[in-house]
Amino acid sequence: MSQILFKAQASRMLSCHCQIRSLSTQLGKLTNHPTSISPSRDEINHARLSPQNLEIAMRSLHQDGLVVVEDVIPHDCLDRLNKKMIEDAYFLRSKKGDTPFNYNPGNIQQGAPPVREYFEPSIFMNPIATQITSSALGPRPKWTFCSGNTAMPPTAENPPMSQPVHSDADFAHPTHPFAYVINVPLITMTPENGSTEVWLGTHVDAGLYVQEGLHGERASGRIKLDELEKRRLDRPPCQPMVPKGSLVVRDLRLWHAGVGNQTEDVRVMLAMIHFAPWYRNPMKLEFADDLKPVIEGHTELEIPVDWVSKSEALARYLNRGFGNAYDFNQRP
């Protein structure tokens, strides 16, 4: 069975082994490639997109449900965090049946250490990411989820396997934008090391009628096969290459799938979710109290936090819920 899945994955990768193409939707032409914005040196220095680039981001989110912004995070802080999270990833994999995997054992849900030593604001509270989400959702979006997805190198026991195509919005949700995921890969993300397969434009086709599985099941939110085939004829999926230092803003409703890592390198991709200020999701982050000066001084995001001691934070962050243990729904 694993050979069949691997062949299907390889075929899919060959068919859409695509590079990100800048401004792919700028002129309104739908393509299978995400739009990528390359900010100017002035935009990077001021941590603000120009009105022209911000408009491109808004158009891409509206049309595709996803946009990439390149070269906005320094590589040195990514490297330092990546070294720590690789160590943690191998520890999590050593737990075998207790590994917090999503859909298959090669795809681990993994959070970063929630302590000041590893918390770099340019990664976790990137001002350009917040500029985009606040422009799309309204002032001061709520940041209530911080985790990550790690594609592990293959082993004989766990060959490369893909997740089923799914939506993270596996509950009755608004048909207009209400949440965006900020993905930050810690290394360059490629089809070979497990770049996420994305189905652009499907954020508007994200009702429960296209899904299988109930919230709370490990594989909920799966898109029905007949819906996938219909969509593939219209606008096939793609596995983009995302350069190190980039961030991806993705509509929570967008269809996507984690793809198996075929390389020898661990590939970590962080995930932070910004909810609209009107969206009544009750989740809170859990951070060490040495982060209070960083978090409480931030004014661009609403950040509900349960504060714990540094020792508590370090003892707990690798033992949290995973997958559908998190509920992205809102209160009535």
Side-chain angles (χ1 to χ4, degrees), residues 35-49:
T35 293
S36 180
I37 295 170
S38 296
S40 67
R41 182 52 48 191
D42 188 60
E43 288 173 287
I44 292 171
N45 289 340
H46 289 89
R48 300 287 291 179
L49 293 180

Side-chain angles (χ1 to χ4, degrees), residues 122-138:
S122 67
I123 296 175
F124 294 96
M125 300 187 300
N126 187 277
I128 287 180
T130 303
Q131 180 192 16
I132 292 171
T133 59
S134 61
S135 296
L137 297 172

Side-chain angles (χ1 to χ4, degrees), residues 1 9 11 45 55 57 68 86 89 104 124 131 162-163 169 180 195 202 206 216 219 222 228 253-254 276-277 286 296:
M1 181 65 177
Q9 173 188 318
S11 174
N45 289 340
E55 180 187 3
V68 179
I86 287 174
N104 65 70
F124 294 96
Q131 180 192 16
S162 294
Q163 296 177 345
Y180 288 107
S195 174
T202 54
R222 301 182 309 276
L228 288 177
R253 301 168 294 169
L254 192 76
E286 182 176 279
E296 293 184 342

Side-chain angles (χ1 to χ4, degrees), residues 82-96:
N82 191 49
K83 180 180 178 182
K84 171 60 175 169
M85 292 192 70
I86 287 174
E87 294 172 1
D88 289 346
Y90 280 111
F91 167 74
L92 289 172
R93 187 162 79 171
S94 74
K95 297 173 73 172
K96 304 289 185 181

